[in-house]
Amino acid sequence: MKSATLMQVAERAGVSTATVARVLKAQGYVSDDARARVEAAVKAIGYRPNAMARGLRQRRSFTIGHMLDAIIVNPFFVNVAHWAEEEALDHGYKTFLFNHNGLAERERIGIERFIERRVDAVLFTNAVSTENVRLLKAAGIPALQLERSRTPAAPAIRVDNTVGALQAMAHLAGLGHRRIAFIGGDPELIGRGETAGPTVEDDRLAAYGAGLAAAGLPFDPALLRLGKYYSLSESGSGSEGYHHTRALLALDDRPTAIFATCDILAAGALQAIYEAGLRVPDDISVIGFDDTLAANLTPQLTTVAQPMEQLGRIGFRAVLAAIETGAWPEQPLLPSHLVLRRSTGPAPL
């Protein structure tokens, strides 16, 4: 069966091929009536633009590379990649994913693959090496970082972690909790990258301290547990959060609430609490971060939601603007926010 042609669409709609092209490209004036007839004709005869021919004419591959970290372990990366792909499809693009697992050498291999495939731009969630990102710049390929800025070699769309973290702390303090533990990423272990300024981990930790101060609560170093978010060797089982929580529960004056800055950490915390014979939230409240696993845990997890859909969609739109105009639009700071579920309750008497 032969593919439908632009001419067939024009004949069925009763318009010129130029009008059909304007509708398909969403460029130039077309009356509402003509647009409706063209869209109906496209649907009726199953017309699909020839992406290869379009790419040759415009010197584009209509492909975006997306470099990801630990996509199997952390659902956050899967979600951002999904929404970036959805936005790309809406604009006639496809995405090519590569997972670097936090390794600079693997990231370099992925970038070389992107260059070989002549991608039009690259998204990083997240970048590892500044030198690797510069390989793209040398090849004339725009690159954008999502969620965090690890290198000055590419612009970034970041998330305001502070607002959601402060909401989490205020929520726990408002429930009467006075012993609030913090399980989070260690800025030195996670890596600061080469960008000046505070990291995601710095922001979340600072919000914990600010939340304690706002509630008139003292800082107790025994309640602070920093490390990795998850172990790649243990398939993201939540082992890091599990071990941190066991240590917290062993304290003579154990916490009545835990703020874990990743849902994977929180999942491990729930496991340790269950094994200790305690109940959530009756004996201890738990808050996570990201809103990935949260709704599927028992009990359903109160968490700070990251704007994963916005990161993916806005990220693609930004690189599309860079492809088409050679200039980057202003990069917004996207908000996080607290989502209340069943893992938080009043402090035990």
Side-chain angles (χ1 to χ4, degrees), residues 232-294:
L232 290 175
S233 63
E234 297 187 51
S235 299
S237 63
S239 60
E240 299 290 328
Y242 174 83
H243 294 306
H244 284 312
T245 302
R246 282 179 59 92
L248 290 168
L249 296 180
L251 296 173
D252 291 335
D253 189 8
R254 72 182 184 219
T256 63
I258 293 174
F259 179 24
T261 61
C262 178
D263 285 353
I264 299 173
L265 289 174
L270 291 176
Q271 182 183 359
I273 293 166
Y274 173 79
E275 289 185 3
L278 300 173
R279 295 172 299 172
V280 176
D282 296 347
D283 299 311
I284 186 167
S285 290
V286 179
I287 292 181
F289 209 110
D290 289 339
D291 201 17
T292 52
L293 306 172

Side-chain angles (χ1 to χ4, degrees), residues 19 27 49 68 89 97 131 169 182 195 228 241 251 263 310:
T19 298
Q27 295 176 352
L68 298 155
L89 289 172
L97 306 184
E131 291 307 311
M169 292 297 295
F182 180 91
T195 304
K228 296 180 179 180
L251 296 173
D263 285 353
Q310 288 179 284

Side-chain angles (χ1 to χ4, degrees), residues 109-120:
I109 292 171
I111 287 173
E112 290 175 352
R113 298 294 181 272
F114 288 162
I115 294 172
E116 289 169 2
R117 292 193 177 218
R118 302 175 64 84
V119 300
D120 296 322

Side-chain angles (χ1 to χ4, degrees), residues 116-182:
E116 289 169 2
R117 292 193 177 218
R118 302 175 64 84
V119 300
D120 296 322
V122 173
L123 296 171
F124 284 88
T125 316
N126 310 114
V128 177
S129 164
T130 294
E131 291 307 311
N132 287 338
V133 178
R134 285 180 178 151
L135 289 175
L136 293 169
K137 187 174 183 179
I141 300 173
L144 177 70
Q145 302 173 83
L146 300 180
E147 193 252 340
R148 63 177 67 208
S149 177
R150 299 294 299 275
T151 168
I157 296 178
R158 300 185 68 243
V159 176
D160 186 341
N161 292 269
T162 301
V163 60
L166 286 175
Q167 289 172 0
M169 292 297 295
H171 174 61
L172 292 173
L175 290 170
H177 293 280
R178 295 295 175 263
R179 298 278 293 167
I180 303 173
F182 180 91

